[in-house]
């Protein structure tokens, strides 16, 4: 029997790299879509790059998506490509909407035209809940996004539902709460904290500037979450699922835990910077993943403390290499 073939957009990102590794372990043939840019960064996939096929495509270019799908003929598509950093969405709201919103439409319509039997995973986000209407947040919680990123992700989410209901596509949205790892981008607060704790411990820096310390998030470990993405596409019927740990921790708690890992008191080094506070803050995100647990057999397996330990240890290892 021929191996299943999966196409991953955003394969060079945190989730894309972990998902590629996971699918290879399941015996998949993995194809990654990469944009032709002046700064291609394959660092996260370099250890498996010889086992991947990387092809050019862009969510902003419908023709490239049609051509790519026709060439690859995947059984599954995982759309992880996006403008993924919330603060940037205020500086580039139109780009964010085009890639993270309309880009989903272009991909879904390309699937509809090329082969409507392809199963599609769409990366939705807990940022769609924004100004939360209930705690914890589940699949039926009303959305109230508080950033151009959240609004764009909400468009991508609902257009996925629309194509599923209108054209019968097997299309699922994973409403993923924050998930981190040593591969997180440098601009994200968890990475900033872990990196600063390691560098301050080594005497390379003296302070860490952060925005809101009170903002609370449901932080999980990225490899746990890519397994959930895959499980969604293995079901008999498509549906949307929240993936979350069910625990919430503040930025202050993350900083305290990270600095404690290197024997330091975060209060001696963290400076609150009003310039880093969002125009509209999302104060509390915590997810209820009981549907995923019940129907997919999925649950987050990595604790908050272990996540922080992994991230700080990776930063220390990088400095000592």
């Amino acid at each position: 029997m021929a191996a299943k073939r999966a196409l991953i957009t955003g394969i060079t990102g945190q989730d894309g790299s972990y998902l590629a590794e996971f699918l290879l372990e399941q015996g998949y043939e993995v194809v990654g879509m990469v944009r032709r840019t002046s700064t291609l960064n394959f660092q996260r996939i370099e250890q498996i790059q010889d086992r991947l096929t990387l092809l050019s495509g862009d969510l902003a270019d419908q023709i490239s998506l049609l051509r790519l799908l026709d060439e690859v003929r995947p059984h599954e598509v995982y759309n992880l490509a996006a403008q993924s950093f919330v603060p940037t969405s205020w500086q580039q709201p139109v780009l964010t909407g085009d890639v993270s919103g309309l880009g989903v439409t272009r991909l879904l319509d390309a699937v509809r035209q090329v082969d409507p039997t392809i199963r599609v995973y769409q990366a939705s986000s807990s940022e769609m809940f924004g100004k939360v209407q209930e705690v914890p947040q589940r699949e039926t919680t009303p959305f109230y996004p508080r950033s151009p990123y959240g609004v764009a992700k909400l468009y991508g989410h609902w257009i996925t539902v629309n194509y599923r209901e209108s054209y019968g596509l097997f299309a699922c949205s994973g409403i993923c709460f924050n998930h981190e790892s040593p591969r997180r981008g440098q601009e994200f607060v968890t990475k900033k904290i872990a990196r600063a704790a390691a560098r301050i411990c080594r005497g390379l820096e003296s302070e860490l500037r952060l925005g809101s310390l009170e903002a609370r998030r449901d932080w999980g470990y990225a490899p746990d979450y890519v397994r959930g993405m895959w499980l969604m596409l293995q079901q008999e019927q498509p549906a949307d699922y929240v993936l979350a740990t069910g625990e919430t921790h503040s930025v202050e708690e993350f900083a305290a835990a990270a600095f404690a890992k290197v024997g330091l008191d975060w209060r001696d080094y963290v400076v609150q910077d009003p310039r880093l506070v969002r125009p509209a803050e999302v104060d509390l995100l915590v997810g209820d993943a009981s549907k995923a647990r019940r129907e997919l057999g999925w649950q987050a397996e990595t604790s908050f403390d272990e996540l922080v330990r992994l991230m700080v240890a990776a930063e220390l290892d990088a400095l000592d290499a």
Side-chain angles (χ1 to χ4, degrees), residues 212-281:
S212 172
L213 297 177
E214 293 76 37
R216 303 185 69 86
R217 295 291 184 270
D218 185 325
W219 275 305
Y221 184 44
D224 290 346
Y225 285 62
V226 300
R227 181 169 47 84
M229 298 172 189
W230 173 75
L231 283 169
M232 290 181 208
L233 297 195
Q234 312 314 307
Q235 304 307 302
E236 287 188 14
Q237 297 296 326
D240 304 324
Y241 297 89
V242 162
L243 298 183
T245 71
E247 295 182 11
T248 184
H249 297 273
S250 67
V251 173
E252 179 179 310
E253 286 177 74
F254 198 104
F259 277 82
K261 298 299 180 197
V262 293
L264 298 175
D265 186 335
W266 70 276
R267 289 168 293 195
D268 295 332
Y269 305 99
V270 172
V271 178
Q272 274 199 278
D273 189 338
R275 295 172 299 177
L276 298 176
V277 176
R278 297 181 183 184
E281 183 57 78

Side-chain angles (χ1 to χ4, degrees), residues 104-153:
V104 183
T105 314
R106 295 186 189 104
L107 180 61
L108 289 167
D109 208 62
V111 167
R112 180 184 68 84
Q113 293 181 58
V114 173
D115 181 0
T117 69
I118 295 171
R119 296 188 170 201
V120 181
Y121 171 83
Q122 164 59 19
S124 287
S125 169
S126 59
E127 287 285 334
M128 302 187 306
F129 294 120
K131 189 175 182 180
V132 299
Q133 303 301 290
E134 66 176 350
V135 179
Q137 295 88 53
R138 51 183 64 89
E139 293 81 4
T140 54
T141 301
F143 298 115
Y144 196 141
R146 295 268 282 171
S147 66
Y149 171 85
V151 173
K153 278 292 187 181

Side-chain angles (χ1 to χ4, degrees), residues 28-319:
Y28 277 67
E29 178 186 338
V30 179
V31 180
M33 186 183 88
V34 294
R35 287 187 302 129
R36 286 286 159 229
T37 67
S38 58
T39 54
L40 285 174
N41 182 4
F42 296 140
Q43 182 180 355
R44 294 186 182 96
I45 57 170
E46 60 186 3
Q47 75 281 7
I48 56 169
Q49 196 170 337
D50 60 341
R51 301 169 63 194
L52 305 172
T53 300
L54 300 178
L55 298 174
S56 180
D58 196 322
L59 288 181
D61 181 6
Q62 180 84 18
I63 301 300
S64 74
L65 297 175
L66 287 164
R67 185 182 298 120
L68 184 59
L69 287 171
D70 189 52
E71 178 181 349
V72 175
R73 294 287 172 163
H75 301 93
E76 299 170 359
V77 172
Y78 295 85
N79 184 35
L80 309 184
Q83 190 298 98
S84 61
F85 189 46
V86 175
T88 297
S89 73
W90 275 285
Q91 276 74 54
Q92 298 181 299
V94 176
L95 171 70
T96 301
D98 188 49
V99 175
S100 302
L102 289 176
V104 183
T105 314
R106 295 186 189 104
L107 180 61
L108 289 167
D109 208 62
V111 167
R112 180 184 68 84
Q113 293 181 58
V114 173
D115 181 0
T117 69
I118 295 171
R119 296 188 170 201
V120 181
Y121 171 83
Q122 164 59 19
S124 287
S125 169
S126 59
E127 287 285 334
M128 302 187 306
F129 294 120
K131 189 175 182 180
V132 299
Q133 303 301 290
E134 66 176 350
V135 179
Q137 295 88 53
R138 51 183 64 89
E139 293 81 4
T140 54
T141 301
F143 298 115
Y144 196 141
R146 295 268 282 171
S147 66
Y149 171 85
V151 173
K153 278 292 187 181
L154 186 53
Y155 179 97
H157 178 82
W158 278 119
I159 201 67
T160 301
V161 173
N162 187 261
Y163 268 67
R164 180 170 72 218
E165 296 180 350
S166 299
Y167 302 113
L169 295 187
F170 194 109
C172 303
S173 284
I175 307 173
C176 293
F177 281 67
N178 293 63
H179 47 286
E180 318 295 315
S181 76
R183 298 181 192 174
R184 201 45 149 152
Q186 300 286 351
E187 67 273 22
F188 289 86
V189 68
T190 51
K191 182 75 165 186
K192 281 178 65 176
I193 292 170
R195 188 169 187 266
R199 292 180 64 81
I200 290 170
C201 171
R202 292 286 189 265
L204 299 173
E205 290 180 10
S206 58
E207 69 173 24
L208 168 63
R209 291 185 170 271
L210 295 173
S212 172
L213 297 177
E214 293 76 37
R216 303 185 69 86
R217 295 291 184 270
D218 185 325
W219 275 305
Y221 184 44
D224 290 346
Y225 285 62
V226 300
R227 181 169 47 84
M229 298 172 189
W230 173 75
L231 283 169
M232 290 181 208
L233 297 195
Q234 312 314 307
Q235 304 307 302
E236 287 188 14
Q237 297 296 326
D240 304 324
Y241 297 89
V242 162
L243 298 183
T245 71
E247 295 182 11
T248 184
H249 297 273
S250 67
V251 173
E252 179 179 310
E253 286 177 74
F254 198 104
F259 277 82
K261 298 299 180 197
V262 293
L264 298 175
D265 186 335
W266 70 276
R267 289 168 293 195
D268 295 332
Y269 305 99
V270 172
V271 178
Q272 274 199 278
D273 189 338
R275 295 172 299 177
L276 298 176
V277 176
R278 297 181 183 184
E281 183 57 78
V282 174
D283 297 316
L284 172 62
L285 292 175
V286 56
D288 176 0
S290 57
K291 181 182 176 183
R293 192 161 51 248
R294 184 174 65 251
E295 297 184 11
L296 305 179
W298 179 91
Q299 63 181 13
E301 296 177 352
T302 307
S303 69
F304 174 76
D305 188 69
E306 176 64 6
L307 169 66
V308 177
R309 189 197 68 76
L310 286 166
M311 293 186 70
V312 174
E315 295 301 318
L316 291 170
D317 287 346
L319 292 175

